[in-house]
Amino acid sequence: MTYSNKVKAGRVIVERMDSLNQDEKFTFKYRKEVYQLTCYSVYDNGERNLAIGKVGVMSFGSMNIGKIGPTTIELYTYDLMNQRSTYKMDMSSMEVLTPKEA
């Protein structure tokens, strides 16, 4: 996949995230696993507090969204000992699911 195609695929995901209001979510498939992106709050300046978690796993299995680039989403979480873990998710590999598919 070319870089411009990855940017186009990413734009679809970013637009979907930007349209979420507080407590709204959508489900997507990434590398054969089903995940849910949740908007926990929307601030007055339009910034959103977003997190991604695997469907069917307790809430402590989710990661916060730190930075959204043109092709990737940077995720982070902290463990019990305050150690930071990060992951970059490729948005071109994300397939948004309809409620029936989830």
Side-chain angles (χ1 to χ4, degrees), residues 2-102:
T2 64
Y3 180 74
S4 62
N5 287 342
K6 284 187 172 195
V7 171
K8 286 178 187 175
R11 204 172 298 137
V12 171
I13 301 298
V14 170
E15 287 173 1
R16 185 74 183 253
M17 286 189 285
D18 287 343
S19 69
L20 292 176
N21 293 316
Q22 186 168 331
D23 296 325
E24 289 185 339
K25 53 188 91 175
F26 69 88
T27 307
F28 64 93
K29 189 181 280 189
Y30 178 77
R31 295 188 178 174
K32 300 180 183 178
E33 297 287 340
V34 179
Y35 295 89
Q36 192 168 59
L37 190 145
T38 305
C39 177
Y40 287 103
S41 59
V42 180
Y43 301 107
D44 291 335
N45 63 0
E47 188 176 328
R48 287 168 171 69
N49 183 6
L50 303 165
I52 292 177
K54 192 180 280 191
V55 172
V57 176
M58 299 294 283
S59 63
F60 56 81
S62 67
M63 295 183 85
N64 298 312
I65 294 179
K67 186 177 177 184
I68 302 168
T71 60
T72 60
I73 298 172
E74 290 183 22
L75 305 169
Y76 71 92
T77 191
Y78 289 94
D79 69 8
L80 183 65
M81 299 302 158
N82 208 24
Q83 295 294 311
R84 184 177 168 115
S85 298
T86 61
Y87 182 77
K88 283 189 178 182
M89 186 175 273
D90 181 10
M91 286 189 278
S92 65
S93 299
M94 295 169 69
E95 176 191 344
V96 177
L97 302 175
T98 63
K100 283 184 178 180
E101 296 172 316

